[in-house]
Amino acid sequence: MSDTHTGQDVVDVLSSDHRDMTALIAEIWTVRDPMIRRDLTDTMISELVRHAVAEEMYVYPAMEKHLPDGKEAVEHDVEEHKELEEAAKKLEDLDVSGAEFDEALRRLETVLADHIQDEESEQFPELRRRIPAEELVELAGKVETAKKLAPTRPHPGAPNSELFHKLVGPGVGLVDRLRDKLTGRATR
Ligand SMILES: [Fe+2]
Ligand SMILES: [Fe+2]
């Protein structure tokens, strides 16, 4: 499933992540069964963390380099990633049936929607305008690899790039566990 073959560029990959995360959140709202809610929430969190790590490693540096005001945009985006991970950390710890959980989910949903809007309406079109198509396809491959190796748990206190390097060994185990979990869910 190499992106050089599918021709997907990095904007396609990231936008599809955005749709997946948004759909998962919508599903969490509709589900009341605590075990399924927990499962969907953990899946959404790991998607979110891996997406944020991959963006920070490969996409935000490209934004800084190629976009006018890229540096400011990246600072703002990284701050929002931190907010998202803080909300995710709460969701990880809270009882899925409590009011506080709903509050944290609402918060995450709101910040995420805003963040997606910024990226998809402003920054991603700029990337496509300013970076050659081949490079954007190459970036898609890097993002996919980073997502496979990235940590799957939120760490709002630490820079994602550092964490990635620290966790890249154990991260593989986490991803394997996640895969088992997803497979289990698919067959239930
Ligand atoms: Fe994103
Ligand atoms: Fe982002």
Side-chain angles (χ1 to χ4, degrees), residues 71-121:
K71 215 172 153 32
E72 289 75 15
V74 165
E75 271 169 27
H76 174 78
D77 284 355
V78 168
E79 272 314 305
E80 282 183 336
H81 280 184
K82 268 189 215 152
E83 281 180 56
L84 289 169
E85 288 192 48
E86 269 158 27
K89 185 98 199 86
K90 276 192 195 144
L91 290 177
E92 201 178 51
D93 298 335
L94 286 166
D95 173 359
V96 294
S97 310
E100 272 182 273
F101 180 93
D102 284 5
E103 223 171 83
L105 185 61
R106 179 76 62 204
R107 170 93 193 124
L108 188 144
E109 185 180 41
T110 307
V111 178
L112 183 66
D114 182 72
H115 189 71
I116 289 174
Q117 163 77 14
D118 283 353
E119 289 184 340
E120 292 191 5
S121 72

Side-chain angles (χ1 to χ4, degrees), residues 14 18 21 48 51-53 55-56 60 63 77-78 80-81 84 112 115-116 119 123-124:
L14 297 173
H18 289 168
M21 291 186 280
L48 176 76
H51 175 86
V53 169
E55 279 186 341
E56 288 178 31
Y60 290 1
M63 277 165 45
D77 284 355
V78 168
E80 282 183 336
H81 280 184
L84 289 169
L112 183 66
H115 189 71
I116 289 174
E119 289 184 340
Q123 295 146 9
F124 291 177

Side-chain angles (χ1 to χ4, degrees), residues 161-182:
S161 53
E162 259 173 47
L163 259 170
F164 180 87
H165 294 296
K166 228 180 278 170
L167 292 182
V168 72
V172 177
L174 279 174
V175 173
D176 285 343
R177 283 210 295 283
L178 177 76
R179 192 177 302 122
D180 292 347
K181 197 172 173 189
L182 291 174

